[in-house]
Amino acid sequence: MATASRRTQSRKTRGAARKDEAGRMAEFLLDLSHQVAACQTLDERLEKLVEIAGSAVDAERGSLFLRDGLTGELYSRVALGNYRREIRVLNNKGIAGWVFTTGKGLIVHDAYADDRFDPSVDEKTGFKTRSVLCTPVRTLRGEIIGVAQALNKKKGRFTKKDLAFLDAMTSQASVFLQSAMIMERMERAREQEAEFLRVVSEVSSEIQLGPLLQKIMEAVTKMLNSERSTLFLNDEKTNELYTEIGQGLGATKIRFPNHLGIAGAVFQSGKSVNIPYAYADLRFNPTFDKQTGFFTRSILCVPVINKDGKTIGVTQVLNRRGGPFTGEDEARLKAFTAQISIGLENAKLFDDVQTSKNYIESVLESMSNGVVTIDPDGKIVTCNAAGLRIFRAHISEVEGQPSQEFFTGPNEWLLEKLEQVEEDQDPDVTMDAELEFGGEKVSVNLTVMPLMSGRDTKLGTMMLIEDISSEKRVKSTMSRYMDPSLADRLLASGEEILGGLSSVATVLFSDIRSFTTLTEELGPQGTVQLLNEYFTLMVECIQQEGGMLDKFIGDAIMAVFGTPLPHEDDEDRAVRAGIAMLRSLGEFNADRQAHGKKPVDMGIGINTDEIVSGNIGSPKRMDYTVIGDGVNLAARLESACKQYGAQLLISENTYRKLHGIYQAREVDLVVVKGKTQPVSIYELLDFHTDQSFPNRMEVLNHFKSGVKHYRGGKFAAAIKSFEEALALHPGDKLAEIYIERCRHYQSKPPPKGWGGVWTMKTK
């Protein structure tokens, strides 16, 4: 009886304890509800709930993840401890994802031993997770809207009681969380709508295209929470998509055909494209990523359509923060581009008009001839820079002045021309006339033309004034020496350039091989015909690259690049001209052989050095030419082509200054006749075809290795490399020359300190 009595008493005690515990739980949850409800924002409610939950289950840190229905992610905005940044994870990854997906609570005593645990957050924050208590957050209807999580029990282990307690807490607070989430979404939507209207209003008031594009891209980037955005407009003249600015691209300008890439596909189809993973889409071109170092994850691209239904461009947005772009993002971007399309067209039209205006003004200002316009009342309206120079006047002294007051004294005859053209509406041309301004006489060619509008309304007259004073002074000198292709440019530079100038230039020599034998076979008439055809082709190649034909020396050609007027890339121009000459020669020979004629062979030498240029000769016969060691070395290289079996040799002076990339090999380190210092010479091979020089890259590699062994005195190894090159290209005379040299030095070793230098005995 006593035992039964004690059992009954024990059950009563446990029942009372459970009632007390249930009461405390109810009281705790009620207090929790009051505290959470007192918070105003979602962030405040999340923070309060996490704080209370962590304390209630005696955890070091707590967090609460809510579902983002648009991105399929779980996000947490607060966490106890020092780590307070937002965390986002996919809703099926990690322990939180497992709990959210299954709807089951979970206790993990050793996090790193559980396969579901994702240690990446620990790696980012430096926090060490030992144990995890995790439960789904359900609404009253049973919908899971998130996951509550407590980390690292301070004393002992998490228990089922802790799990039940955490579950009860989150269930109690879910109604407040859900209402706060709804309110936040509504507030965000209201703010987005207000921002949308503000931005549309702001960009609609902008008329200049550059600032408009800047505003649009700033708005799109912010509106869609993306990393970069670009608005491409269609250029109907070139059928290209272009942009002047891209948000996140700095000052980058992009232009490409309007059918290429994702932007081109959207423009052509008029349909939006939403790509969550760019590198998994075959339409994506990663070239721009490689150039900029940017990594594209997701892409949203929509067409920009005007009020007439015509696609005028595309808007492209990259890398939405927090996941791929959503359908809502796409709808918002479409609505935005529809609103601003009218403003874009107006700005583009204004930009085209402004560009045309600037172009016309730029043309007028860059003209060497003076251009003056006069209205029907005889007042000077505009005068370009060349006109001001001719008039020796400031713009304020010309524009706005009555022509009757400006053209006075010895210049009054201009008024008669203006009146006659105004009356007859027929242009008038006066050649080699004379004007006088500031006591100085100016020789001019004058054209006076009527100005008419598109509706045949008289707008006044225009004077075109060509200053020929300098031309008259140097015309006689130029006729003695000047290549016609450079005459106009030299006139603009002035006559002092003809008196003598020391400068760095690139000299090209070419010469026909075995020309004497050819002349004997062809006879006088055939020789002249051959040279005329040959020189026509070669000079065209030189002039195409801006070179000056200096002279013909029998069957040889001497040309200069860099004088009298230099370019930044004269070395490249000379090399390109040499390559073009050899290619043209190949076509020339193919035609000759087709008609049963013998082919023509030639060699070319190119050198860059300081030369002296100017008028050289006697008062009766003068020649504009160049002289100096730089000229001589170019001639030596042309001659050396015979020795090395090459067709195009350049000096190291030229090779080191080249900007372009060419197929070349170092031929030799030589001391030319008359010099003491060695110079490296290179053979260019770009004119060759696979038939004329097979296995080019392999041959060059073996040859380079052979030269290295040769200069190091390893002649056996050098011979092996040169023989491998020769096997790949049996016609490689240069490899044969080096094999012969190596065998010579094997029997008669070179002197100490030799270094591979070869002394040329002939010119």
Side-chain angles (χ1 to χ4, degrees):
M1 291 293 294
T3 300
S5 176
R6 283 195 298 271
R7 288 176 181 171
T8 301
Q9 184 62 36
S10 176
R11 283 195 297 271
K12 289 180 179 180
T13 302
R14 288 197 299 271
R18 282 195 295 270
K19 289 181 180 179
D20 290 342
E21 185 177 346
R24 286 194 299 273
M25 172 65 79
E27 185 178 347
F28 175 82
L29 294 176
L30 182 61
D31 181 61
L32 171 67
S33 299
H34 289 161
Q35 292 190 54
V36 173
C39 299
Q40 299 296 319
T41 66
L42 177 61
D43 285 347
E44 291 175 354
R45 292 181 179 183
L46 287 172
E47 186 170 2
K48 178 59 68 175
L49 181 59
V50 169
E51 177 187 344
I52 296 173
S55 175
V57 297
D58 195 28
E60 290 182 6
R61 178 173 294 187
S63 58
L64 195 149
F65 290 89
L66 296 178
R67 179 192 62 186
D68 187 333
L70 296 176
T71 65
E73 294 175 312
L74 296 174
Y75 67 90
S76 173
R77 294 186 183 172
V78 298
L80 293 178
N82 296 324
Y83 185 54
R84 299 181 60 81
R85 60 174 290 185
E86 181 173 289
I87 304 171
R88 280 184 173 267
V89 296
L90 292 176
N91 61 18
N92 59 356
K93 299 295 183 182
I95 291 176
W98 186 89
V99 170
F100 178 82
T101 304
T102 62
K104 299 177 181 179
L106 184 66
I107 300 174
V108 178
H109 297 301
D110 186 350
Y112 281 82
D114 194 297
D115 293 338
R116 293 165 293 191
F117 177 67
D118 181 4
S120 60
V121 176
D122 277 10
E123 294 171 0
K124 294 177 182 178
T125 62
F127 181 77
K128 178 70 172 180
T129 302
R130 297 189 306 275
S131 56
V132 181
L133 180 67
C134 191
T135 186
V137 179
R138 302 177 188 271
T139 64
L140 295 178
R141 295 181 178 180
E143 178 188 2
I144 300 176
I145 62 171
V147 174
Q149 193 170 260
L151 307 178
N152 297 359
K153 182 81 168 179
K154 293 179 180 179
K155 294 181 180 180
R157 290 178 146 195
F158 288 119
T159 64
K160 292 183 178 180
K161 181 179 178 181
D162 292 330
L163 182 61
F165 194 42
L166 184 61
D167 184 63
M169 290 174 57
T170 54
S171 297
Q172 183 71 19
S174 64
V175 64
F176 301 106
L177 290 176
Q178 190 174 30
S179 62
M181 291 169 66
I182 294 173
M183 291 177 61
E184 184 180 76
R185 283 197 294 268
M186 293 175 61
E187 181 62 22
R188 187 186 302 120
R190 188 193 65 78
E191 290 176 355
Q192 289 175 347
E193 185 69 22
E195 178 68 12
F196 182 91
L197 294 175
R198 184 193 67 77
V199 171
V200 169
S201 175
E202 182 177 344
V203 299
S204 298
S205 63
E206 181 61 64
I207 193 64
Q208 293 188 348
L209 185 59
L212 176 61
L213 291 175
Q214 175 73 48
K215 289 181 178 180
I216 291 174
M217 291 301 93
E218 288 177 353
V220 169
T221 303
K222 182 179 179 182
M223 182 173 68
L224 297 186
N225 193 27
S226 61
E227 293 182 8
R228 286 188 179 180
S229 58
T230 309
L231 194 152
F232 294 100
L233 296 177
N234 183 49
D235 187 335
E236 295 182 349
K237 297 178 181 178
T238 62
N239 289 325
E240 291 178 314
L241 291 174
Y242 71 93
T243 182
E244 295 187 2
I245 191 164
Q247 188 67 18
L249 297 176
T252 302
K253 294 185 179 181
I254 306 172
R255 181 178 281 268
F256 56 90
N258 62 16
H259 65 278
L260 296 182
I262 292 172
V266 170
F267 177 79
Q268 294 293 335
S269 67
K271 297 180 180 180
S272 301
V273 169
N274 188 349
I275 302 174
Y277 305 104
Y279 280 81
D281 194 291
L282 295 178
R283 294 168 296 182
F284 176 67
N285 185 353
T287 302
F288 194 68
D289 275 12
K290 294 177 181 177
Q291 293 175 351
T292 61
F294 182 76
F295 182 75
T296 302
R297 299 189 305 275
S298 55
I299 302 174
L300 175 61
C301 191
V302 303
V304 180
I305 302 174
N306 66 10
K307 64 182 187 309
D308 298 323
K310 179 181 178 181
T311 303
I312 61 173
V314 297
T315 300
Q316 184 171 276
V317 194
L318 307 179
N319 294 4
R320 183 182 186 275
R321 293 182 174 90
F325 293 101
T326 64
E328 181 183 346
D329 293 330
E330 183 177 337
R332 293 178 64 206
L333 187 56
K334 283 183 177 179
F336 182 76
T337 54
Q339 289 294 321
I340 52 91
S341 62
I342 296 176
L344 270 174
E345 283 203 306
N346 291 338
K348 189 178 179 184
L349 179 62
F350 178 80
D351 186 67
D352 290 342
V353 172
Q354 191 67 33
T355 300
S356 298
K357 178 176 178 292
N358 293 340
Y359 177 77
I360 294 172
E361 290 179 351
S362 177
V363 169
L364 290 175
E365 289 305 306
S366 63
M367 289 178 66
S368 59
N369 296 337
V371 179
V372 181
T373 59
I374 301 170
D375 67 17
D377 296 327
K379 183 178 293 185
I380 299 174
V381 180
T382 62
C383 179
N384 70 346
L388 296 175
R389 287 195 299 271
I390 294 172
F391 295 157
R392 311 292 195 272
H394 188 269
I395 191 169
S396 60
E397 300 172 313
V398 181
E399 291 187 355
Q401 300 298 316
S403 57
Q404 295 86 350
E405 297 180 9
F406 187 77
F407 299 117
T408 59
N411 304 321
E412 279 187 288
W413 62 272
L414 279 174
L415 298 176
E416 298 177 8
K417 298 289 183 181
L418 292 171
E419 291 174 2
Q420 181 181 345
V421 171
E422 179 69 23
E423 181 179 347
D424 300 340
Q425 292 295 295
D426 291 325
D428 183 272
V429 179
T430 305
M431 304 299 292
D432 200 5
E434 191 172 83
L435 298 173
E436 184 176 331
F437 297 98
E440 296 183 33
K441 293 183 179 181
V442 185
S443 297
V444 301
N445 292 332
L446 175 70
T447 302
V448 183
M449 297 173 288
L451 290 178
M452 302 288 291
S453 71
R455 299 180 180 180
D456 294 332
T457 303
K458 295 181 179 180
L459 300 177
T461 53
M462 181 179 74
M463 293 193 302
L464 185 65
I465 308 171
E466 180 186 10
D467 185 353
I468 60 172
S469 303
S470 297
E471 181 179 351
K472 289 181 68 176
R473 286 194 295 271
V474 300
K475 187 174 182 180
S476 60
T477 305
M478 287 181 62
S479 63
R480 300 176 187 171
Y481 63 83
M482 182 43 50
D483 186 307
S485 65
L486 295 175
D488 292 338
R489 296 172 64 191
L490 277 174
L491 280 174
S493 300
E495 59 191 23
E496 69 277 2
I497 197 171
L498 307 178
L501 181 67
S502 177
S503 62
V504 174
T506 301
V507 182
L508 180 150
F509 268 88
S510 73
D511 189 31
I512 296 178
R513 297 287 174 259
S514 304
F515 184 69
T516 303
T517 304
L518 274 174
T519 58
E520 292 174 353
E521 294 178 2
L522 295 174
Q525 292 184 348
T527 300
V528 171
Q529 181 180 356
L530 168 66
L531 285 178
N532 286 339
E533 294 173 353
Y534 168 81
F535 284 146
T536 298
L537 293 173
M538 299 302 108
V539 172
E540 177 67 16
C541 295
I542 293 168
Q543 292 184 344
Q544 282 288 335
E545 292 297 337
M548 186 188 78
L549 174 65
D550 187 281
K551 61 173 67 71
F552 297 119
I553 311 170
D555 61 305
I557 297 174
M558 176 179 169
V560 186
F561 296 79
T563 189
L565 299 171
H567 306 88
E568 292 182 356
D569 60 341
D570 283 310
E571 299 81 11
D572 289 80
R573 288 170 178 262
V575 166
R576 291 198 299 265
I579 293 170
M581 290 167 70
L582 288 168
R583 287 175 176 169
S584 294
L585 182 67
E587 297 172 359
F588 179 64
N589 283 333
D591 182 70
R592 286 181 60 81
Q593 289 176 310
H595 291 83
K597 300 177 182 179
K598 285 188 176 182
V600 177
D601 190 17
M602 74 170 175
I604 298 175
I606 298 174
N607 178 47
T608 302
D609 206 343
E610 187 165 332
I611 51 92
V612 175
S613 59
N615 271 335
I616 298 176
S618 70
K620 292 185 178 181
R621 180 70 175 93
M622 302 193 75
D623 191 16
Y624 182 86
T625 188
V626 295
I627 58 175
D629 287 343
V631 180
N632 297 334
L633 180 55
R636 301 282 192 279
L637 292 177
E638 179 275 320
S639 179
C641 287
K642 306 172 189 176
Q643 177 180 337
Y644 292 105
Q647 288 183 280
L648 178 52
L649 293 179
I650 67 174
S651 69
E652 64 178 322
N653 303 331
T654 301
Y655 183 81
R656 291 173 180 172
K657 293 184 177 182
L658 291 176
H659 297 86
I661 298 175
Y662 306 90
Q663 288 188 332
R665 60 175 169 177
E666 186 175 3
V667 171
D668 211 349
L669 184 63
V670 301
V671 177
V672 298
K673 188 173 179 61
K675 291 293 182 179
T676 58
Q677 295 299 318
V679 60
S680 292
I681 59 177
Y682 295 81
E683 180 186 15
L684 292 183
L685 304 169
D686 295 74
F687 63 91
H688 276 293
T689 64
D690 292 337
Q691 289 73 35
S692 62
F693 200 122
N695 306 308
R696 200 176 312 167
M697 294 309 299
E698 293 88 346
V699 171
L700 291 181
N701 289 333
H702 288 306
F703 186 87
K704 182 178 180 181
S705 177
V707 171
K708 182 179 179 181
H709 291 315
Y710 167 80
R711 292 179 180 172
K714 302 176 181 179
F715 300 114
I719 290 173
K720 182 180 179 182
S721 295
F722 290 130
E723 286 178 343
E724 288 175 340
L726 194 59
L728 291 169
H729 181 214
D732 193 3
K733 181 179 178 181
L734 191 55
E736 295 175 346
I737 291 173
Y738 270 97
I739 292 172
E740 183 180 348
R741 283 190 192 177
C742 289
R743 288 172 178 163
H744 169 75
Y745 283 131
Q746 280 180 323
S747 60
K748 295 182 180 180
K752 187 176 181 181
W754 161 68
V757 177
W758 185 264
T759 301
M760 296 180 67
K761 304 297 183 182
T762 62
K763 294 184 178 182

